[in-house]
Amino acid sequence: MKRILALILVIGLMVGTLAGCKKDTPADNGSQTSGSNSTGTQVSSNTTRPDSHVTLKMYLEGSNVTDDSKVLEKVNEYLDEKLNVTLQPIWGTWGDFD
């Protein structure tokens, strides 16, 4: 009985895995520069800088015991130049995350 149940379980997992491996688009050699995704919207492989500036907030536990402002300033310079994004760390204690 256990062997039959194990066999049914294995077959079910294999069918589920194969169903998730459905490929919607044909394989290409990387020369495609634009196309459309599954929702039909146009997709381009050329990444461009977004028009609006984005601030990403990072919630960190513990306390900011080191002075990392110079490092964060350099990171934000790089991210602003490349992606138009800045990071804003928010430090909190364990009680803040409850």
Side-chain angles (χ1 to χ4, degrees):
M1 183 68 182
K2 288 183 182 181
R3 288 183 184 180
I4 295 173
L5 184 61
L7 182 63
I8 292 171
L9 181 63
V10 168
I11 291 173
L13 288 173
M14 287 174 45
V15 169
T17 303
L18 292 175
C21 294
K22 180 182 171 190
K23 192 167 187 171
D24 292 335
T25 58
D28 64 283
N29 59 3
S31 62
Q32 183 177 356
T33 58
S34 65
S36 61
N37 61 10
S38 61
T39 59
T41 57
Q42 190 68 18
V43 178
S44 175
S45 64
N46 296 336
T47 53
T48 59
R49 186 176 162 162
D51 295 332
S52 62
H53 183 78
V54 176
T55 300
L56 299 175
K57 294 181 180 181
M58 301 183 327
Y59 289 92
L60 304 167
E61 73 265 351
S63 62
N64 189 1
V65 294
T66 60
D67 184 22
D68 59 351
S69 59
K70 291 181 183 179
V71 173
L72 187 61
E73 185 178 310
K74 292 289 185 183
V75 168
N76 280 335
E77 272 181 35
Y78 179 79
L79 289 176
D80 188 37
E81 175 187 327
K82 298 291 183 182
L83 301 173
N84 203 14
V85 171
T86 57
L87 296 176
Q88 177 187 0
I90 298 173
W91 291 95
T93 62
W94 285 107
D96 294 336
F97 294 101
D98 287 339

